[in-house]
Amino acid sequence: MEQRGHRSRAPASALLGFTTSAAGNDNTSYFMYMAVLASMLHGFTVPAGMEVGMRLRGYTNGMFEWLRKAPWGDPGFSALVFSIVVFGFVGGITGVTIGTEQINIIVHNTLRSPGH
């Protein structure tokens, strides 16, 4: 018996645009897109900020003079560049592939996951 004035509601995941499979698992790819977008924004703005800072200090000859004349002897700068390469690119690319459900099923419980 249906209650008067009662409307059937769609689940919140359907209202947000997530599709539901027959098993009842929500599609998590939209969350992965949000995480990738934030990582890409961070991965591009930090090196761009370093370039702008070096160009404001007068290193404006050529396309990569700012990078050649960067303070490589400073451990903080070298660690920043190393962390961008390791965590940004190596960790970021493997994180995207592991975050994709189809690939995660294949590489789960392998050495690729702790390597990420």
Side-chain angles (χ1 to χ4, degrees):
M1 183 171 167
E2 189 174 329
Q3 296 177 356
R4 184 175 282 193
H6 180 265
R7 295 181 184 165
S8 64
R9 292 186 178 182
S13 61
L15 296 175
L16 293 173
F18 303 123
T19 58
T20 304
S21 66
N25 297 328
D26 288 333
N27 185 355
T28 59
S29 63
Y30 295 112
F31 295 115
M32 196 64 212
Y33 298 151
M34 288 187 292
V36 168
L37 179 64
S39 296
M40 285 178 56
L41 285 173
H42 188 259
F44 286 117
T45 56
V46 171
M50 291 188 311
E51 178 183 358
V52 168
M54 291 298 289
R55 289 189 183 275
L56 288 175
R57 287 177 177 82
Y59 301 107
T60 57
N61 295 333
M63 189 180 293
F64 293 109
E65 181 192 23
W66 67 272
L67 190 58
R68 284 192 312 266
K69 304 273 176 109
W72 293 104
D74 181 15
F77 181 81
S78 300
L80 175 67
V81 172
F82 181 72
S83 69
I84 288 172
V85 170
V86 171
F87 297 122
F89 296 116
V90 177
I93 292 170
T94 59
V96 170
T97 58
I98 291 173
T100 307
E101 190 171 346
Q102 292 85 357
I103 297 174
N104 190 13
I105 291 170
I106 296 169
V107 300
H108 195 73
N109 290 335
T110 65
L111 288 177
R112 183 177 178 177
S113 296
H116 157 75

